[in-house]
Amino acid sequence: MKKFGFNSKNEFLPSFDKFQSSVNQRLMFLKLFNEQVPCSLKFSKEEISLCNKSSLFETFISKVYFNLQCNFSYSSNIKIDIEKTVLINKFLKKVRLRTESIPTKYSIFTKNINNLKKSTDLITILLENDFSFFLDGNSCFKRFVSNKILNSSHNREVNVSDDSIDIISHEQMFQTKIFTFWEFINSKKLDIDKHIKKAIKCIKESDFKQVYLVYPKNDDFCKHVSVRCNDINSSEYNIKLVPYSMRSTLR
């Protein structure tokens, strides 16, 4: 599952490790979503807690309504510019087609310009793909791992590039190259030849002799695995397959 997410009817979320229940899967999705977007679009703890009883679609819709201070008892409301009015009307009309719980008439009471922008920005994201929204697994996992490393690194230099995460300790004289992969591997039935070749190429063509291939931790892959290759002569090299836990997204 390279991409995961939801539409108005279904959720397409990976099941592994502690993410067997729909609630935990939603929590992971929302935490990873927060890492991809600007602060104005992040879900608060209170908003995230809604996923205990609501689908991701319903949770996103609730966030929009909350920021708009939407009231379905029709009355006088504040004035919003034409462009935003058209966008909000289009959004609510489309939502009504997917659920019968939304009344035809409504009023917008928010006077907070920032909240209004938060809503319209989120509405734009949802409407772009007709309420279908997916995250890229490889991108999310790499960002998750790199953020964890950056937050825990002391006296180490961490460089995050498009392809890898590099950890350099000048004090302890070591360099580690990390490649992340959003794949759920089985340590007893490995099928990652391309990844191993990538590690070997890195060792042969760079100063990095320690290369970690990092994957999400799951029931079939929960311990480090060392890899030895006959075509590398150096005794200094070290290739490891590393299971990386994502349980912190549940906190």
Side-chain angles (χ1 to χ4, degrees):
M1 186 180 284
K2 296 296 184 184
K3 293 189 176 184
F4 54 95
F6 67 92
N7 58 30
S8 60
K9 295 182 179 180
N10 298 298
E11 295 177 344
F12 309 89
L13 304 170
S15 177
F16 66 100
D17 194 30
K18 293 298 182 180
F19 304 95
Q20 307 292 336
S21 70
S22 58
V23 172
N24 283 359
Q25 291 167 358
R26 291 167 188 162
L27 284 171
M28 178 186 68
F29 179 91
L30 292 171
K31 293 291 184 64
L32 294 179
F33 174 84
N34 277 355
E35 291 190 351
Q36 310 295 309
V37 298
C39 290
S40 61
L41 290 180
K42 294 182 187 297
F43 282 77
S44 66
K45 288 183 178 180
E46 292 76 15
E47 290 168 336
I48 288 176
S49 68
L50 293 176
C51 74
N52 288 324
K53 296 181 179 179
S54 303
S55 67
L56 287 174
F57 170 72
E58 293 166 339
T59 303
F60 271 71
I61 299 303
S62 294
K63 182 176 176 65
V64 173
Y65 289 164
F66 176 79
N67 282 317
L68 287 178
Q69 293 183 27
C70 225
N71 190 312
F72 297 107
S73 298
Y74 192 70
S75 62
S76 59
N77 54 356
I78 67 167
K79 293 182 180 180
I80 302 175
D81 67 61
I82 294 176
E83 184 178 350
K84 288 185 174 62
T85 299
V86 171
L87 181 65
I88 293 170
N89 282 336
K90 180 180 179 181
F91 169 77
L92 289 174
K93 181 178 179 180
K94 283 182 173 290
V95 171
R96 282 197 296 271
L97 293 174
R98 289 162 171 78
T99 175
E100 297 179 355
S101 63
I102 307 301
T104 303
K105 294 182 179 181
Y106 67 93
S107 295
I108 305 300
F109 286 96
T110 185
K111 295 181 180 180
N112 187 310
I113 300 300
N114 289 330
N115 282 352
L116 183 60
K117 187 177 187 309
K118 288 178 186 178
S119 293
T120 53
D121 285 350
L122 193 57
I123 286 172
T124 300
I125 289 175
L126 291 171
L127 289 181
E128 277 182 350
N129 294 297
D130 194 27
F131 295 100
S132 174
F133 186 79
F134 286 79
L135 295 173
D136 179 80
N138 284 316
S139 174
C140 285
F141 186 56
K142 181 171 179 290
R143 185 184 292 268
F144 175 80
V145 174
S146 61
N147 284 345
K148 285 289 185 181
I149 292 173
L150 286 166
N151 290 334
S152 64
S153 291
H154 303 287
N155 300 320
R156 297 186 302 178
E157 179 183 342
V158 180
N159 299 315
V160 182
S161 66
D162 292 338
D163 188 51
S164 66
I165 305 166
D166 300 341
I167 302 176
I168 302 171
S169 174
H170 299 289
E171 182 179 335
Q172 299 179 9
M173 301 293 290
F174 76 83
Q175 299 183 107
T176 303
K177 173 81 73 173
I178 296 175
F179 295 115
T180 58
F181 302 95
W182 180 250
E183 294 185 25
F184 302 96
I185 65 173
N186 186 331
S187 58
K188 296 180 180 179
K189 298 178 182 179
L190 292 173
D191 184 19
I192 53 171
D193 288 349
K194 289 183 179 180
H195 302 168
I196 299 297
K197 289 179 180 177
K198 186 172 187 176
I200 293 172
K201 182 178 180 181
C202 173
I203 290 170
K204 288 183 174 180
E205 298 180 0
S206 74
D207 293 330
F208 288 89
K209 302 305 177 188
Q210 181 164 274
V211 180
Y212 289 172
L213 306 180
V214 177
Y215 305 84
K217 182 179 180 180
N218 67 81
D219 291 342
D220 296 318
F221 179 54
C222 53
K223 294 182 180 180
H224 288 57
V225 177
S226 295
V227 178
R228 304 303 297 179
C229 304
N230 294 329
D231 53 349
I232 301 180
N233 295 323
S234 173
S235 60
E236 299 177 358
Y237 87 90
N238 184 13
I239 299 176
K240 280 188 178 180
L241 312 184
V242 179
Y244 208 89
S245 174
M246 300 188 70
R247 297 180 186 183
S248 62
T249 59
L250 302 177
R251 296 171 190 161

